[in-house]
Amino acid sequence: MSAGWTVHKFGGTSLADADRYRAACDIVLSQQSGERVAVVVSAMSGVTNALIESVNLASTQDESYLEKLQALESRHLKTITTLQLRNDQSSALKETIVSNFNAIKEVLRGVWITRLASERIIEFVSGHGELWSAQLMHAYLVAQDHHSSWLDAREVLVVEPNTNSVAVDWQLSKQKIQTSLAQHPETDFLIITGYIAATHDGVATTLKRNGSDLSASIFGALLGADAVTIWTDVDGVFSADPRRVPDAVVVPELSYQEAAELAYFGAKVIHPNTMSPAIANNITVWIKNTFKPDAPGTRISATSPTDVPIKGFAAVENMVLINVEGTGMIGIPGVAHKIFGALRAVDVSVVMISQASSEHSICFAVPREHADLAKKTVEQTFVVEMQRGEIQTVDLTEGCLHHRDGRQRHD
Ligand code: ADP
Ligand code: ASP
Ligand code: MG
């Protein structure tokens, strides 16, 4: 029987250039412990943003989309040269990349003409960074005489996209990955594209922004791994965003629930949905620093020490508070139902709700991009009540932070 799998994931912050690919490979090699190694990779830093921007520029008929693509193409070709691959590998990979960019240019020509950047096109184009990244790392390992294969996750990972996330078809994905692994029985390293997947119809899709962390725990589950290590540019999960709070400290251990809470409430270091496959399969998740691989990092598992009451603090930016106020709301049943029903009908997700016990006002928080729609919807819903003066104001407060502590719960 072949050995089990361990999974490592490298984020874009750890894959900026050829030196960082080398450093990532050194880490993977130094961590080998007899198991086969799956490496889930993000695109090089900034690539996904640039690809999405190029689609958006083309849709507004801004010619600079071509320069943006050109810069990305050159960056990838230069990285191949600097990695000093074997000549045959180097020219094959360069050819693939040039041909991918030509295909993207054709797609974006269509976007330019129609001025239409459909979701499907954005998903298709934005996933290319991971395809290039996986092939780069694979080629480098082969150049160092290692048994490596690379896997386009769209061939095995089948998902159904929802509004903000995806539902994995576990059964089908497991079958597909087993078939794919059977084709590489000798491989020690399997380099897998993070972020991308396919729908049941075979259409290219993504796990949404920052989704490579989720890819790592999904592949951990599909491969039956005991541990997944997420390598990033900080020492672990900090008690607060280290960019904002210089005194923040690394939290050595977190439970899945604590990590999920911090992630949902803005700790960008992990994608919020990463924990679900880990919980279901009891996979230990480590967060570690590629720049300091020997630092202990953060261990996330089913249990965590309970002696510290608050583990961390996270904040979501760009929230807006909407306050609905009126004397005509007091004691009238169904006002909240009406507000949130109307918001649901227009697909606005409410992040936080508070109602004064006097029932004189209801206040709720929504992301900035939904604020105007939310306000307009509430005003339309209560147009009669506003005319009669029963509801006096629907106010909007900009620039709020929504924060949350990762408190240990004992319920
Ligand atoms: P990657 O490219 O490795 O996925 P990200 O940029 O997505 O990296 O996430 C790492 C960043 O998350 C860190 O550089 C850090 O600034 C930010 N961050 C926000 N909140 C936290 C937190 N509580 N702990 C650690 N990092 C955090
Ligand atoms: N490259 C993708 C993004 O920037 C996915 C990831 O890095 O997690 O959103
Ligand atoms: Mg990330």
Side-chain angles (χ1 to χ4, degrees):
M1 207 179 91
S2 57
W5 288 91
T6 187
V7 177
H8 293 271
K9 177 257 169 178
F10 290 89
T13 52
S14 305
L15 301 172
D17 54 29
D19 279 348
R20 301 312 305 157
Y21 278 94
R22 285 196 197 101
C25 288
D26 287 347
I27 287 176
V28 166
L29 293 167
S30 72
Q31 303 274 324
Q32 255 187 312
S33 59
E35 290 192 303
R36 299 211 273 172
V37 180
V39 185
V40 174
V41 288
S42 290
M44 291 168 91
S45 64
V47 168
T48 314
N49 279 347
L51 287 168
I52 294 173
E53 278 161 25
S54 69
V55 183
N56 291 334
L57 287 169
S59 74
T60 56
Q61 299 198 327
D62 183 332
E63 273 175 0
S64 63
Y65 84 90
L66 283 168
E67 283 156 37
K68 209 167 254 305
L69 288 180
Q70 195 53 55
L72 276 181
E73 185 172 341
S74 307
R75 182 174 168 199
H76 283 88
L77 296 178
K78 184 176 157 227
T79 308
I80 295 173
T81 306
T82 320
L83 272 178
Q84 295 180 330
L85 306 174
R86 288 195 322 242
N87 283 344
D88 57 327
Q89 286 184 304
S90 178
S91 39
L93 192 46
K94 283 183 176 173
E95 223 171 88
T96 304
I97 287 182
V98 170
S99 130
N100 289 164
F101 273 98
N102 287 339
I104 292 175
K105 280 178 205 154
E106 278 180 42
V107 172
L108 294 201
R109 177 83 190 129
V111 170
W112 167 283
I113 294 167
T114 57
R115 297 193 191 196
L116 180 69
S118 73
E119 188 64 21
R120 196 179 271 203
I121 288 178
I122 295 175
E123 300 272 283
F124 168 76
V125 173
S126 78
H128 276 78
E130 272 68 13
L131 289 170
W132 302 323
S133 184
Q135 291 174 84
L136 276 167
M137 188 177 274
H138 159 68
Y140 181 70
L141 285 169
V142 172
Q144 311 300 306
D145 291 329
H146 295 292
H147 290 289
S148 166
S149 311
W150 81 279
L151 177 62
D152 174 350
R154 297 174 305 184
E155 287 169 15
V156 297
L157 180 54
V158 183
V159 301
E160 269 321 303
N162 298 325
T163 318
N164 290 315
S165 186
V166 292
V168 177
D169 185 331
W170 289 102
Q171 212 185 347
L172 186 55
S173 303
K174 259 185 202 148
Q175 269 172 23
K176 284 179 172 270
I177 199 162
Q178 288 312 332
T179 312
S180 169
L181 287 177
Q183 290 160 13
H184 308 283
E186 298 301 326
T187 202
D188 293 325
F189 298 97
L190 181 64
I191 316 301
I192 308 174
T193 54
Y195 183 52
I196 57 177
T199 65
H200 283 98
D201 297 332
V203 174
T205 187
T206 72
L207 308 187
K208 312 301 170 214
R209 295 310 308 271
N210 289 311
S212 293
D213 299 332
L214 175 56
S215 304
S217 65
I218 291 174
F219 279 101
L222 291 174
L223 293 167
D226 292 333
V228 169
T229 307
I230 294 180
W231 293 92
T232 182
D233 64 344
V234 285
D235 282 357
V237 179
F238 276 71
S239 49
D241 184 346
R243 278 186 285 212
R244 290 166 174 274
V245 184
D247 292 346
V249 291
V250 179
V251 186
E253 288 197 48
L254 284 170
S255 69
Y256 294 127
Q257 283 71 19
E258 289 164 343
E261 289 233 345
L262 284 171
Y264 275 113
F265 286 92
K268 195 195 164 207
V269 66
I270 2 173
H271 184 283
N273 297 345
T274 311
M275 293 308 140
S276 306
I279 294 170
N281 297 277
N282 205 21
I283 300 169
T284 305
V285 178
W286 290 89
I287 311 289
K288 289 178 68 102
N289 190 347
T290 12
F291 297 88
K292 280 197 250 163
D294 295 330
T298 297
R299 179 180 191 270
I300 306 170
S301 64
T303 53
S304 103
T306 54
D307 50 342
V308 195
I310 293 182
K311 300 260 175 104
F313 186 87
V316 188
E317 288 181 79
N318 294 324
M319 301 303 292
V320 166
L321 277 181
I322 298 184
N323 190 42
V324 185
E325 201 168 304
T327 42
M329 291 164 60
I330 301 170
I332 308 291
V335 177
H337 174 83
K338 245 172 120 172
I339 295 178
F340 299 115
L343 293 173
R344 186 191 171 282
V346 292
D347 251 349
V348 170
S349 160
V350 176
V351 178
M352 189 209 76
I353 303 168
S354 106
Q355 185 189 30
S357 55
S358 67
E359 297 184 46
H360 176 247
S361 69
I362 294 182
C363 181
F364 57 90
V366 294
R368 177 69 200 88
E369 67 263 29
H370 296 150
D372 296 330
L373 175 62
K375 183 169 187 286
K376 201 172 91 198
T377 304
V378 174
E379 284 167 349
Q380 281 168 353
T381 307
F382 291 107
V383 69
V384 176
E385 289 83 347
M386 288 185 85
Q387 275 163 6
R388 288 199 212 121
E390 291 164 4
I391 288 187
Q392 278 103 32
T393 53
V394 178
D395 277 343
L396 197 146
T397 311
E398 298 265 3
C400 302
L401 277 182
H402 180 45
H403 32 75
R404 179 79 168 152
D405 60 67
R407 197 180 291 260
Q408 179 78 35
R409 283 167 214 290
H410 300 280
D411 43 13

